[in-house]
Amino acid sequence: MTDPTRFTIWIALACWLAFMHLTYRGREASPNLMRIWWSVGCLAYVAHVIAAFQFHHAWSHSAAFEATAIQAEEVVGRRVGLGIYVNYAFTLIWIGDVVWWWVNPNHHQARATWVGPTWHGFFCFIVFNATVVFEDGPVRWLGAAGCFWIVLLWIRCGRSR
């Protein structure tokens, strides 16, 4: 069977970029369209996590922790696997946000104004680390370009408000 780990994360990232473009482009977008992009991105990300555990970690938290520790040691010089817990938190928050938006869209849209930017900042931090810090070659450059684009959208949106 073909390993869909990379394919699924690229779908998730493309959906995130589309969502962020709709969110921060400076004019109102359809909430239903945004919710669909956000949900498809989350589903693709969950498929990525499942594929990673199936094809790379043999459904073992210990193996995933160790792989994270090895990767951290290669990049930052310290063998620490705690980043796996950041990934778990990220996964649960995204799933929770999608469920919240589908179950109670009015409440989701009326949430505190700091929640969205904080969540998207955390998301950008995760994407930057996953693509720029812990990858190389074309993935690094595409990740840097995507994160740079998101930051430009944030700046442009902030200036227009």
Side-chain angles (χ1 to χ4, degrees), residues 34-118:
M34 293 173 62
R35 183 172 57 178
I36 289 169
W37 278 113
W38 193 238
S39 301
V40 171
C42 182
L43 286 172
Y45 177 73
V46 169
H48 167 74
V49 171
I50 291 168
F53 271 90
Q54 173 67 31
F55 295 101
H56 300 278
H57 308 303
W59 291 101
S60 167
H61 164 75
S62 298
F65 185 93
E66 184 62 19
T68 303
I70 290 168
Q71 191 175 30
E73 184 176 39
E74 291 169 356
V75 174
V76 297
R78 287 194 68 204
R79 191 180 190 92
V80 179
L82 298 176
I84 193 73
Y85 295 109
V86 175
N87 290 333
Y88 290 159
F90 174 80
T91 304
L92 292 174
I93 292 168
W94 197 357
I95 293 169
D97 192 59
V98 167
V99 169
W100 180 18
W101 203 349
W102 282 99
V103 170
N104 196 341
N106 292 331
H107 190 258
H108 185 272
Q109 291 299 105
R111 62 190 178 180
T113 57
W114 61 267
V115 174
T118 301

Side-chain angles (χ1 to χ4, degrees), residues 129-152:
N129 279 284
T131 60
V132 177
V133 176
F134 288 98
E135 287 288 345
D136 56 15
V139 172
R140 177 175 282 167
W141 292 107
L142 287 169
C147 289
F148 181 71
W149 181 48
I150 295 305
V151 169
L152 286 178

